[in-house]
Amino acid sequence: MDQHIPFNESKSQPRDEVLILLIDPNIDFVMDMKDSFDRHSISVLIATTASKGIEYFHTVNPDFVLIEANLPDKSGFDVLLEIKDISRDRSIPTAIISSNQLKENRIRAYELGAIDFIRKPIDLDIFIPFVLNRVAFRKSITNKLLVDELTGAYNRKQFYITKSSLYNRYKISNESFSIALIDFDLFKDFNNIYGQQKGNEVLQFFVQIAQQTLRSKTDVFRFGSDEFVLLIRHKPALVAANIVEDIAEQMRELWNITFSAGISEWFPSTHIDGTLLKQADRALQQAKKAGRNSIHVYDENSFASSLASRLMIHIVDDDAMVRALLERQFSAWQSDTFEISVHCYNDGFEFTESNWYTPQDYHVVLLDGVMPKMDGLEVLHIVKKKVQSERVLIAMLTDRKNNQDILHALNSGADDYMLKPFHPQEVLARIQRLVNRLFL
């Protein structure tokens, strides 16, 4: 058993920030590409058909899209045509890859929005820096789109970027910070009475007051028309509430307008960032129900029981040792977004005959490819036929290295394919990245 899953598990879990969407039916090519990008800590999401590639594009918001010109269901040019408007709006670079270098094909690709036409075979030593260059250029463009034009506050996208960097920094320093989610009370009525221009002045003044109070121009974010988030560094929730109350008092005195606010606090033990905003939103809704013009702090005792969604991990493998190692690894997964529940099955028949699927929950199925009674690919077909849900993620875990089997699994709906031997910690890290992309 040691030869399949080593016991000296790696202590590090790579966290990929770049996601490449590769749409190509050539399984040899995509596996070589995936291996090369993995060595550079770059995630690659593989689609072997145009339809699956388009689905992934709309689901995961990739940083770069590589599209083979010849696909089994549509051409790569058809894919470009379908995604070009969104890819331009989001500044997502796209490229056609092909062994066919006809001039008309290159012209067509550029007309449809591709920034490059790349010839196969690809020199990976050059290609990796090329991709990173394009991704860096995309980031430089999007950085110019992170400030709200009306108020000068940063936007929602910049909030998530800033908060993520704080997580890493404050985990080391063992500090906490708070956020305040603010929504102006009856702002539509204010605009109807005084006019939209006056309403715009209110929002602009609020941002100025908030920036002055926080002594920072980078910690005020506009989320919606009259909805803002304040990032209050180094302060616990109760202190943050006093700061927000000071801002509220100035708005009442100078503009005779009120807002409601919900505040939540991040602790070093917090693991998933989606929870923090959910907590603040729940506190905000509580403030509104209390009659508006109030500030409420998230109370874990009141809300924790109903906060997390359930994430069901199903380990389907006939090898008891594999099940035990994976169960141990996934049971240690700490999440504030999901309530993790791990279930093991001796074989595919036991899994398919169980009541494993609950539509209100999220599911990850770790499926062995070779099992007695029922083959893993057969289980995959049964699951896909029975359950049509975006809340189910299936990863094949097998030592079956036949390219046709891999292609069959991906075409049949598998979201990932991991070959044995593997480290259980690596499996966990890859599943966590997919869950963050597909479920959050």
Side-chain angles (χ1 to χ4, degrees):
M1 180 50 57
D2 291 2
Q3 62 184 350
H4 293 296
I5 302 182
F7 285 95
N8 55 336
E9 300 171 3
S10 172
K11 294 183 179 180
S12 62
Q13 293 187 21
R15 298 183 62 185
D16 299 342
E17 296 181 355
V18 175
L19 178 68
I20 308 300
L21 174 57
L22 175 58
I23 309 174
D24 195 304
N26 187 322
I27 198 64
D28 290 324
F29 175 74
V30 299
M31 294 307 291
D32 286 343
M33 292 283 284
K34 187 175 180 65
D35 290 342
S36 297
F37 279 111
D38 281 345
R39 288 194 292 271
H40 289 79
S41 297
I42 300 173
S43 292
V44 178
L45 196 57
I46 296 172
T48 57
T49 63
S51 57
K52 192 65 176 178
I54 292 170
E55 176 188 337
Y56 278 146
F57 176 83
H58 291 294
T59 303
V60 302
N61 191 33
D63 298 297
F64 196 105
V65 184
L66 298 167
I67 311 167
E68 162 62 40
N70 295 313
L71 297 169
D73 49 343
K74 291 182 181 180
S75 75
F77 302 103
D78 291 331
V79 176
L80 270 180
L81 179 62
E82 187 161 341
I83 70 174
K84 71 173 185 177
D85 290 336
I86 295 179
S87 62
R88 284 174 175 170
D89 288 343
R90 298 179 183 176
S91 301
I92 301 174
T94 58
I96 287 287
I97 46 179
S98 176
S99 57
N100 188 333
Q101 290 292 296
L102 289 176
K103 182 178 179 180
E104 50 265 38
N105 286 341
R106 304 181 70 171
I107 293 174
R108 188 181 180 193
Y110 294 134
E111 288 176 342
L112 292 174
I115 65 168
D116 289 290
F117 192 103
I118 303 165
R119 182 176 182 178
K120 288 183 176 179
I122 293 175
D123 185 338
L124 291 173
D125 291 335
I126 299 175
F127 189 67
I128 299 295
F130 158 80
V131 170
L132 293 175
N133 176 279
R134 291 295 186 261
V135 171
F137 180 75
R138 183 213 178 194
K139 290 183 178 180
S140 70
I141 296 297
T142 56
N143 284 342
K144 297 177 182 179
L145 306 176
L146 298 177
V147 176
D148 176 57
E149 185 176 357
L150 173 65
T151 65
Y154 279 104
N155 61 19
R156 182 189 297 259
K157 182 182 293 185
Q158 181 60 35
F159 168 75
Y160 288 110
I161 295 172
T162 302
K163 185 160 58 66
S164 177
S165 65
L166 277 184
Y167 281 13
N168 296 328
R169 186 186 314 162
Y170 282 19
K171 280 181 180 179
I172 297 174
S173 62
N174 201 35
E175 296 181 85
S176 64
F177 64 88
S178 299
I179 67 166
L181 181 58
I182 292 172
D183 195 356
F184 280 87
D185 299 324
L186 305 175
F187 191 68
K188 183 177 180 181
D189 293 344
F190 183 93
N191 279 339
N192 290 337
I193 295 172
Y194 299 103
Q196 185 173 355
Q197 179 59 38
K198 190 64 67 175
N200 289 343
E201 293 177 12
V202 167
L203 299 180
Q204 291 168 342
F205 184 80
F206 167 78
V207 170
Q208 293 175 11
I209 291 297
Q211 289 176 342
Q212 291 172 7
T213 303
L214 298 177
R215 299 180 180 179
S216 171
K217 292 186 177 181
T218 61
D219 292 339
V220 181
F221 308 86
R222 189 182 184 190
F223 264 42
S225 174
D226 59 326
E227 186 178 64
F228 293 84
V229 170
L230 305 184
L231 177 60
I232 306 169
R233 302 170 188 251
H234 311 291
K235 304 297 182 183
L238 293 178
V239 175
N242 292 331
I243 294 173
V244 174
E245 175 57 38
D246 180 49
I247 297 172
E249 184 176 350
Q250 295 183 65
M251 297 302 297
R252 286 192 295 265
E253 291 179 355
L254 296 172
W255 288 95
N256 192 29
I257 192 169
T258 65
F259 61 72
S260 301
I263 296 176
S264 60
E265 182 177 349
W266 182 87
F267 298 94
S269 59
T270 303
H271 293 274
I272 300 298
D273 60 4
T275 299
L276 192 65
L277 200 57
K278 289 181 181 179
Q279 292 174 343
D281 183 62
R282 287 171 182 255
L284 172 62
Q285 299 310 314
Q286 191 179 61
K288 290 181 177 180
K289 290 179 181 179
R292 302 188 179 93
N293 188 25
S294 62
I295 299 168
H296 282 234
V297 174
Y298 173 79
D299 179 4
E300 184 176 1
N301 294 329
S302 300
F303 294 110
S305 61
S306 60
L307 177 64
S309 301
R310 285 205 306 175
L311 177 62
M312 315 291 283
I313 308 295
H314 307 278
I315 302 170
V316 188
D317 200 301
D318 64 305
D319 191 314
M321 183 62 73
V322 172
R323 293 196 305 271
L325 290 172
L326 290 176
E327 181 180 18
R328 182 183 67 181
Q329 194 68 58
F330 278 87
S331 295
W333 182 356
Q334 299 294 320
S335 172
D336 291 322
T337 299
F338 296 107
E339 176 188 335
I340 309 294
S341 180
V342 182
H343 305 270
C344 294
Y345 306 85
N346 296 323
D347 52 54
F349 182 78
E350 179 183 342
F351 172 68
T352 56
E353 291 298 309
S354 69
N355 295 321
W356 68 272
Y357 178 67
T358 46
Q360 71 273 16
D361 299 322
Y362 294 88
H363 299 267
V364 172
V365 181
L366 302 176
L367 182 58
D368 184 21
V370 181
M371 294 181 291
K373 296 185 179 180
M374 186 178 292
D375 186 85
L377 290 174
E378 186 179 354
V379 175
L380 177 62
H381 283 293
I382 292 174
V383 170
K384 284 298 180 179
K385 183 177 180 180
K386 179 180 179 181
V387 179
Q388 302 294 325
S389 173
E390 295 180 352
R391 292 190 171 203
V392 178
L393 187 162
I394 301 177
M396 302 292 292
L397 307 176
T398 180
D399 54 8
R400 178 181 284 175
K401 300 180 181 180
N402 183 281
N403 286 346
Q404 291 303 315
D405 289 334
I406 297 175
L407 182 61
H408 186 187
L410 293 172
N411 285 336
S412 298
D415 297 287
D416 202 359
Y417 199 105
M418 289 173 267
L419 296 175
K420 296 179 180 178
F422 50 71
H423 292 281
Q425 197 169 16
E426 292 174 353
V427 176
L428 173 62
R430 286 177 65 164
I431 293 301
Q432 286 174 330
R433 291 194 293 270
L434 281 174
V435 165
N436 288 337
R437 287 282 186 172
L438 299 178
F439 291 165
L440 297 180

